[in-house]
């Protein structure tokens, strides 16, 4: 049973990524596509946190214990996850701003109607 519990976060990350990719591939709306891209990005949060998890681990604060006496969560992975969240929010905001500009200039957010932009 414990082997399944160690694999479960990785399976969850893969499932969330596949769902986001499916939504991205079948989207007929640019706003929906940006949302699906954000779902794909959230799969990386789960993956990074699964990599940094330690059974019985505590916070990586060493003021009350000797280093190496207990397992601790990896602080580098936690920092990478926070950085990933900030970058994901920034990319989502930028893409939504681009969708607003496309909507203003072309009057639609349907990618099929924007085929006229090709050369």
């Amino acid at each position: 049973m414990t082997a399944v519990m160690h694999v479960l976060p990785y399976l969850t990350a893969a499932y969330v990524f596949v769902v986001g990719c499916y939504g991205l591939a079948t989207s007929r709306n640019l706003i929906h596509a940006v949302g699906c891209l954000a779902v794909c990005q959230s799969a990386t949060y789960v993956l990074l946190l699964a990599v940094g998890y330690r059974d019985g681990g505590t916070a990586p604060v060493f003021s009350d214990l000797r280093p190496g006496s207990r397992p601790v969560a990896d602080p580098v992975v936690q920092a990478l996850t926070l950085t990933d969240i900030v970058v994901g929010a920034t990319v989502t905001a930028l893409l939504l701003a681009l969708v607003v500009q496309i909507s203003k200039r072309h009057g639609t957010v349907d990618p099929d109607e924007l085929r006229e932009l090709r050369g």
Side-chain angles (χ1 to χ4, degrees), residues 99-110:
V99 169
V100 167
Q101 291 300 315
I102 288 171
S103 176
K104 283 182 183 178
R105 291 177 190 223
H106 298 283
T108 184
V109 291
D110 185 6

Side-chain angles (χ1 to χ4, degrees), residues 3-39:
V4 173
M5 294 306 289
H6 290 291
V7 176
L8 188 62
Y10 299 104
L11 293 176
T12 303
Y15 177 74
V16 170
F17 184 76
V18 168
V19 166
C21 285
Y22 176 77
L24 191 59
T26 61
S27 177
R28 293 291 128 223
N29 187 326
L30 292 176
I31 296 172
H32 182 261
V34 171
C36 290
L37 191 64
V39 170

Side-chain angles (χ1 to χ4, degrees), residues 24-90:
L24 191 59
T26 61
S27 177
R28 293 291 128 223
N29 187 326
L30 292 176
I31 296 172
H32 182 261
V34 171
C36 290
L37 191 64
V39 170
C40 287
Q41 179 80 21
S42 67
T44 62
Y45 312 153
V46 177
L47 182 65
L48 283 171
L49 291 175
V51 167
Y53 177 76
R54 302 282 188 268
D55 279 337
T58 60
V61 178
F62 296 109
S63 64
D64 60 340
L65 56 116
R66 289 180 300 117
S69 64
R70 283 192 285 182
V72 294
D74 190 1
V76 174
V77 176
Q78 292 177 1
L80 285 173
T81 304
L82 288 173
T83 304
D84 193 14
I85 291 170
V86 170
V87 169
T90 304

